[in-house]
Amino acid sequence: MSTPRRGRPAKAGRQEDILEAALEAFSRTGFAATRIDDVARRAGISKGTIYLYFPSKEALFEGVVRHFMVPKLDRVDELRAGHIGSADDLLRMQLATVYREIVGSRLREILRLLLAEGPRFPELLAFYHAEVVDRAMAGLRATIELGIAQGVFRPNSARDFPQVVMGPAILAGVWTLLFDSFAPLDLDAYAEAHLDILLRGLAKDRTGC
Amino acid sequence: MSTPRRGRPAKAGRQEDILEAALEAFSRTGFAATRIDDVARRAGISKGTIYLYFPSKEALFEGVVRHFMVPKLDRVDELRAGHIGSADDLLRMQLATVYREIVGSRLREILRLLLAEGPRFPELLAFYHAEVVDRAMAGLRATIELGIAQGVFRPNSARDFPQVVMGPAILAGVWTLLFDSFAPLDLDAYAEAHLDILLRGLAKDRTGC
Amino acid sequence: MSTPRRGRPAKAGRQEDILEAALEAFSRTGFAATRIDDVARRAGISKGTIYLYFPSKEALFEGVVRHFMVPKLDRVDELRAGHIGSADDLLRMQLATVYREIVGSRLREILRLLLAEGPRFPELLAFYHAEVVDRAMAGLRATIELGIAQGVFRPNSARDFPQVVMGPAILAGVWTLLFDSFAPLDLDAYAEAHLDILLRGLAKDRTGC
Amino acid sequence: MSTPRRGRPAKAGRQEDILEAALEAFSRTGFAATRIDDVARRAGISKGTIYLYFPSKEALFEGVVRHFMVPKLDRVDELRAGHIGSADDLLRMQLATVYREIVGSRLREILRLLLAEGPRFPELLAFYHAEVVDRAMAGLRATIELGIAQGVFRPNSARDFPQVVMGPAILAGVWTLLFDSFAPLDLDAYAEAHLDILLRGLAKDRTGC
DNA sequence: GATGAATGAGTTTTCATTCAT
DNA sequence: CATGAATGAAAACTCATTCAT
């Protein structure tokens, strides 16, 4: 009743195909309402084949959430490692990357999936906290401390709570997923506003005369 | 064909009880994984009784999300309406209320539920956007414009994107729900940091000489 | 949520009201799909009240089927008892009564209900067979035998199978219930056709020369 | 979350098996009181498998009613098409076929099911009227008209109401289903009586001397 | 490896029946 | 007598998972 390819397809990317299909499917309908059959159809394979690569629906979900975000984090980290210059430029670039690669891409769906299903997947949360969230917070904190050392940023409490720096970006990501049809968000202008308020909030007082 | 038991008198507040129980249950397990029977048991009633008050699981969920948040919004609005004084004090109070009444209370669960299940409930999203989100954004915008008029805030782009102002609070809310066991958040200090960065980011330059 | 009369209504006809309401309801939706609540609403009373008059849904159904048909049978029987004249006139009158009082009235619904639900109600079938069907068959047989005695009818096998005489009428009754929207039946003309064929089929050969 | 067992190969005739099982089950308990699980057990398969072949209980019921009757009608039609000889012989054969193939077989259950549940299945009624009832009526009408043309039958009103011809057979079918334990019917003798009365009722007067 | 027919546990929803008022 | 809120058994239907081919 379906029309899968009977021949031997490239099997190298088979797992990748499944993860792509699963990301789409979970994004659209969430964990519980997504049927394995949907994922299979999207991937152009049969239901049973999914189970050759993932032992359960839960494992597939975890696979999706783990697979796509880490590489982005790597990129943000590399940015900081290779940076020479002022901390505010670095922070600009870090947030620009977050907006481009996550908030403005399909990866924002993963943010939402994590918020949505996280409590059902404690191990996944642990992984995420260690491999994504904590790394991201550390990266921001490093930049802020660099700025303070450089005298660009005033000593400030964002050092202890880098979430304050990231908050508006995360909110933008989920906003677009929920309310875009009611009130679309111009992400570029939004990011500009975010950086405008943030950098001024962090900056050392220009009390010079 | 069955063996029923009783026919108690109508208990006042029954609907309220159900909503409370449903909030707890949905918070714990999300929409799909929550069984109506769980809600009933929590409310100390039988499954069928739920259906005397809500025609479906969907309607119950919508009932929960609608019931608890609007009164809080009302309170934030009243704040602004009754305020005499500087805009930065008002903004402080508005955000303090958000942290106290929502981010630091069980209502943060509703934020998460909305993020999680929103796409499955388009009508609920429309309601929420109109009755909660849009009102909240308008309230913040009004305060920001007041500050600009008072000369307390510089003309700034947060007027166009009040989400930037709210973002860190929302993030804190969901953070505590997901990562509190890995990295607990001191909400009071967090709120202080948020206001510190934010108010400085909005403030007029003290370029006095 | 409903609007029952709170005052003390005439209680004499209460059971009758319920039976009327139940006939309507069962006719419309059959036994299983009819809700006691529907019957109650139709009768203008509350659900619980039904149970003051009938101990169960089954009993209510049996009540309906028993209540309405027997009086009609009585009338057909009286016809025969009081008849003076030829058997073919009597048979005409008997069938005319069946067409008028049952086939062409809402009582045809009871025929259908009995066909539909009979197997689930063995006692009801027993009652019906004894009190309705057997009496009706006996009545027809008596008329046929009268006709044979009078020399109006030839000795014929309908004496042993009065169902043959009744068949077309019963079929007409259910036909109108099922197919009237596709092929409406002119019951008067139909009855005429029925009698035409039947009486000729029963008549003694007019082999007179 | 579950503990499934097997994945057998497709069995040819599986749909046929289900229809057979469903006919038995619906015959015994009617539409509403038949549980899908009963049908499955009778067919020797599991509940879920039914849903691989029929999307709902309604569809299964319609499948049953459609599946069994049409082939019989085809046979009756062929009779007439291939007939050479007098119309009364043809009518005898047509009715004999109806008695043998439907009234005296398990197909009489389908008659009863249709009477019982028809009003709940308007599409099924439409199908039935077009594909079974109307064809049957047309077949009888054709025979009657042939008889009139042959001079075997007098011009008569059964031409307009072939239901009159069929009525006693239908009644016999449902009678056996309802009342056989109270008053068993000798179907052969009954059919003989039916034909006796009917053919005489249709016959041209033998007024010759 | 890949398939997809088959399984059956699990969940929502309905509604006959009860009984405190 | 009458009410109708409450109960909970029952059944349709879904879908993750298995496994013979």
Side-chain angles (χ1 to χ4, degrees):
Chain A
M1 274 172 198
S2 63
T3 47
R5 334 159 191 142
R6 269 282 181 174
R8 294 289 79 74
K11 63 187 163 185
R14 179 60 47 103
Q15 170 152 337
E16 184 79 14
D17 291 350
I18 295 173
L19 287 169
E20 288 282 350
L23 172 57
E24 277 182 59
F26 285 133
S27 294
R28 219 169 288 267
T29 44
F31 176 75
T34 293
R35 281 163 298 151
I36 289 285
D37 220 6
D38 286 344
V39 177
R41 227 188 324 272
R42 269 177 212 279
I45 59 178
S46 85
K47 201 166 33 164
T49 304
I50 304 268
Y51 284 86
L52 298 175
Y53 293 87
F54 298 91
S56 72
K57 192 184 178 186
E58 266 88 358
L60 176 60
F61 182 77
E62 299 204 9
V64 167
V65 177
R66 292 179 176 202
H67 181 72
F68 291 96
M69 196 67 90
V70 175
K72 304 301 175 181
L73 250 286
D74 292 344
R75 185 170 304 188
V76 179
D77 272 7
E78 287 161 13
L79 262 185
R80 187 166 44 78
H83 183 74
I84 303 172
S86 74
D88 57 353
D89 280 352
L90 176 56
L91 191 55
R92 263 182 202 286
M93 287 170 59
Q94 285 178 313
L95 284 174
T97 304
V98 167
Y99 273 102
R100 189 178 355 98
E101 302 284 337
I102 299 172
V103 176
S105 85
R106 65 183 182 171
L107 289 212
R108 62 190 168 201
E109 285 287 6
I110 292 190
L111 289 181
R112 196 180 66 80
L113 284 172
L114 198 75
L115 296 179
E117 318 287 355
R120 282 174 52 87
F121 295 88
E123 289 179 22
L124 184 59
L125 279 182
F127 167 86
Y128 227 75
H129 179 258
E131 297 301 318
V132 177
V133 172
D134 210 40
R135 280 178 63 194
M137 291 302 105
L140 290 173
R141 181 179 294 113
T143 300
I144 291 164
E145 287 177 338
L146 174 65
I148 294 171
Q150 289 177 338
V152 178
F153 298 154
R154 63 187 171 91
N156 68 78
S157 50
R159 187 177 40 190
D160 301 323
F161 299 108
Q163 295 95 332
V164 171
V165 172
M166 194 64 109
I170 303 301
L171 180 54
V174 297
W175 180 287
T176 59
L177 293 175
L178 299 181
F179 302 125
D180 230 42
S181 56
F182 309 113
L185 203 58
D186 176 344
L187 264 188
D188 289 335
Y190 182 95
E192 206 45 59
H194 178 189
L195 278 164
D196 171 37
I197 309 288
L198 175 63
L199 289 175
R200 234 185 245 247
L202 294 173
K204 194 154 201 168
D205 285 351
R206 280 165 289 164
T207 50
C209 288
Chain B
M1 275 174 196
S2 62
T3 45
R5 293 296 139 70
R6 279 146 301 182
R8 297 234 196 65
K11 182 187 159 191
R14 180 59 42 106
Q15 171 152 339
E16 185 80 13
D17 292 350
I18 295 173
L19 286 170
E20 289 282 351
L23 174 56
E24 275 182 60
F26 285 135
S27 293
R28 218 169 289 267
T29 45
F31 177 76
T34 293
R35 281 161 300 145
I36 288 285
D37 220 4
D38 288 343
V39 178
R41 227 188 322 274
R42 266 177 215 280
I45 58 178
S46 83
K47 209 173 12 170
T49 304
I50 304 271
Y51 285 88
L52 297 177
Y53 293 87
F54 298 91
S56 70
K57 192 183 176 187
E58 263 90 359
L60 176 60
F61 182 77
E62 299 204 8
V64 167
V65 176
R66 292 179 177 204
H67 181 71
F68 292 97
M69 195 68 88
V70 175
K72 304 301 175 181
L73 250 286
D74 292 344
R75 183 169 307 188
V76 180
D77 272 8
E78 286 161 15
L79 263 185
R80 189 166 43 77
H83 183 75
I84 303 171
S86 73
D88 56 355
D89 281 350
L90 176 55
L91 191 56
R92 259 181 207 287
M93 287 170 58
Q94 284 179 313
L95 283 175
T97 304
V98 167
Y99 274 101
R100 187 177 0 96
E101 302 284 337
I102 299 172
V103 176
S105 86
R106 66 185 180 169
L107 289 212
R108 62 192 167 199
E109 286 287 7
I110 293 189
L111 289 182
R112 194 181 67 78
L113 284 172
L114 198 75
L115 297 180
E117 318 288 357
R120 281 176 53 87
F121 295 88
E123 287 179 22
L124 184 59
L125 279 182
F127 167 85
Y128 228 74
H129 179 259
E131 297 302 318
V132 177
V133 172
D134 210 39
R135 281 178 61 195
M137 293 300 105
L140 290 173
R141 182 178 293 114
T143 301
I144 291 164
E145 287 177 339
L146 174 66
I148 295 170
Q150 289 176 338
V152 177
F153 298 155
R154 65 189 169 89
N156 67 79
S157 49
R159 191 178 36 193
D160 301 325
F161 298 108
Q163 295 96 331
V164 170
V165 172
M166 195 63 109
I170 304 300
L171 180 55
V174 297
W175 181 286
T176 59
L177 292 175
L178 299 182
F179 302 124
D180 229 41
S181 57
F182 310 115
L185 204 59
D186 175 345
L187 263 188
D188 289 336
Y190 181 95
E192 205 44 58
H194 177 190
L195 278 163
D196 171 38
I197 310 287
L198 174 64
L199 289 175
R200 231 184 249 244
L202 294 173
K204 193 154 204 169
D205 287 349
R206 281 163 286 163
T207 51
C209 275
Chain C
M1 275 171 199
S2 62
T3 46
R5 332 157 191 145
R6 271 279 180 180
R8 297 287 81 74
K11 64 190 165 185
R14 179 60 46 105
Q15 170 151 338
E16 183 79 15
D17 291 349
I18 294 173
L19 287 169
E20 289 281 350
L23 173 56
E24 277 183 58
F26 285 133
S27 294
R28 219 169 289 267
T29 44
F31 177 75
T34 292
R35 280 162 300 150
I36 289 285
D37 220 5
D38 286 345
V39 177
R41 227 187 325 272
R42 268 177 212 278
I45 59 177
S46 85
K47 201 164 35 161
T49 304
I50 304 268
Y51 285 86
L52 298 176
Y53 294 88
F54 298 91
S56 70
K57 191 183 178 187
E58 265 89 359
L60 176 60
F61 183 77
E62 298 203 9
V64 166
V65 176
R66 291 179 178 204
H67 181 73
F68 290 96
M69 196 68 87
V70 175
K72 304 300 175 181
L73 251 288
D74 292 345
R75 183 169 306 189
V76 179
D77 272 6
E78 286 161 13
L79 262 184
R80 187 166 44 77
H83 183 75
I84 303 170
S86 74
D88 57 354
D89 279 351
L90 176 56
L91 191 56
R92 260 181 206 286
M93 287 171 58
Q94 284 178 312
L95 284 175
T97 304
V98 167
Y99 274 101
R100 185 175 3 93
E101 302 284 335
I102 299 173
V103 175
S105 85
R106 66 186 180 165
L107 288 211
R108 62 191 167 199
E109 286 287 3
I110 293 189
L111 289 181
R112 197 180 64 80
L113 284 172
L114 198 75
L115 296 179
E117 319 287 355
R120 284 174 51 87
F121 295 88
E123 288 179 21
L124 184 60
L125 280 182
F127 167 87
Y128 227 76
H129 179 258
E131 297 302 317
V132 177
V133 171
D134 211 41
R135 280 179 62 196
M137 292 302 106
L140 289 173
R141 181 178 295 113
T143 301
I144 292 165
E145 287 177 339
L146 175 66
I148 294 171
Q150 289 177 339
V152 178
F153 298 154
R154 63 189 171 90
N156 67 78
S157 48
R159 186 176 41 191
D160 302 323
F161 299 107
Q163 294 96 330
V164 170
V165 171
M166 193 64 108
I170 303 301
L171 180 54
V174 298
W175 180 288
T176 59
L177 293 176
L178 299 181
F179 302 125
D180 228 41
S181 56
F182 309 113
L185 203 60
D186 176 343
L187 263 188
D188 289 336
Y190 182 95
E192 204 44 58
H194 178 190
L195 279 163
D196 170 37
I197 309 286
L198 175 64
L199 289 175
R200 229 183 250 246
L202 294 173
K204 193 153 200 168
D205 287 349
R206 282 164 285 163
T207 50
C209 279
Chain D
M1 276 173 196
S2 62
T3 45
R5 293 296 140 72
R6 278 144 303 180
R8 296 234 197 66
K11 183 187 159 193
R14 180 58 44 104
Q15 169 152 342
E16 185 78 15
D17 292 349
I18 294 173
L19 287 169
E20 288 283 351
L23 173 57
E24 275 183 60
F26 285 134
S27 293
R28 216 169 292 265
T29 45
F31 177 77
T34 293
R35 280 161 302 148
I36 289 286
D37 223 5
D38 287 345
V39 178
R41 226 188 323 275
R42 265 176 216 278
I45 57 178
S46 84
K47 204 175 16 170
T49 303
I50 304 269
Y51 286 89
L52 297 177
Y53 294 87
F54 298 91
S56 70
K57 192 183 177 186
E58 262 92 358
L60 176 60
F61 182 77
E62 298 204 10
V64 167
V65 176
R66 290 178 180 208
H67 182 72
F68 292 97
M69 194 69 88
V70 174
K72 304 301 175 182
L73 249 286
D74 292 345
R75 184 167 307 186
V76 179
D77 271 9
E78 286 161 14
L79 262 186
R80 187 169 42 80
H83 183 76
I84 302 171
S86 74
D88 56 354
D89 280 350
L90 176 55
L91 190 57
R92 262 180 202 286
M93 287 171 59
Q94 284 178 312
L95 283 174
T97 305
V98 167
Y99 274 102
R100 189 179 356 97
E101 303 283 337
I102 299 173
V103 175
S105 85
R106 66 183 179 170
L107 289 213
R108 63 191 166 200
E109 285 287 5
I110 292 191
L111 287 182
R112 195 182 64 82
L113 284 171
L114 197 75
L115 297 179
E117 318 288 355
R120 282 175 53 88
F121 295 88
E123 288 180 21
L124 185 59
L125 278 183
F127 167 85
Y128 229 75
H129 179 259
E131 297 301 318
V132 177
V133 172
D134 210 41
R135 281 178 61 194
M137 291 302 106
L140 289 174
R141 181 178 294 114
T143 300
I144 292 165
E145 288 177 339
L146 174 67
I148 295 172
Q150 289 177 339
V152 178
F153 298 155
R154 62 187 172 90
N156 67 80
S157 49
R159 188 177 39 191
D160 301 322
F161 299 108
Q163 294 96 330
V164 170
V165 172
M166 193 64 108
I170 303 299
L171 179 56
V174 298
W175 180 286
T176 59
L177 293 175
L178 299 181
F179 302 124
D180 228 41
S181 56
F182 310 113
L185 204 59
D186 176 343
L187 263 188
D188 289 335
Y190 181 96
E192 206 45 58
H194 178 190
L195 278 164
D196 171 39
I197 309 286
L198 175 63
L199 289 175
R200 233 184 246 250
L202 294 174
K204 195 152 199 168
D205 286 349
R206 280 164 290 164
T207 49
C209 287

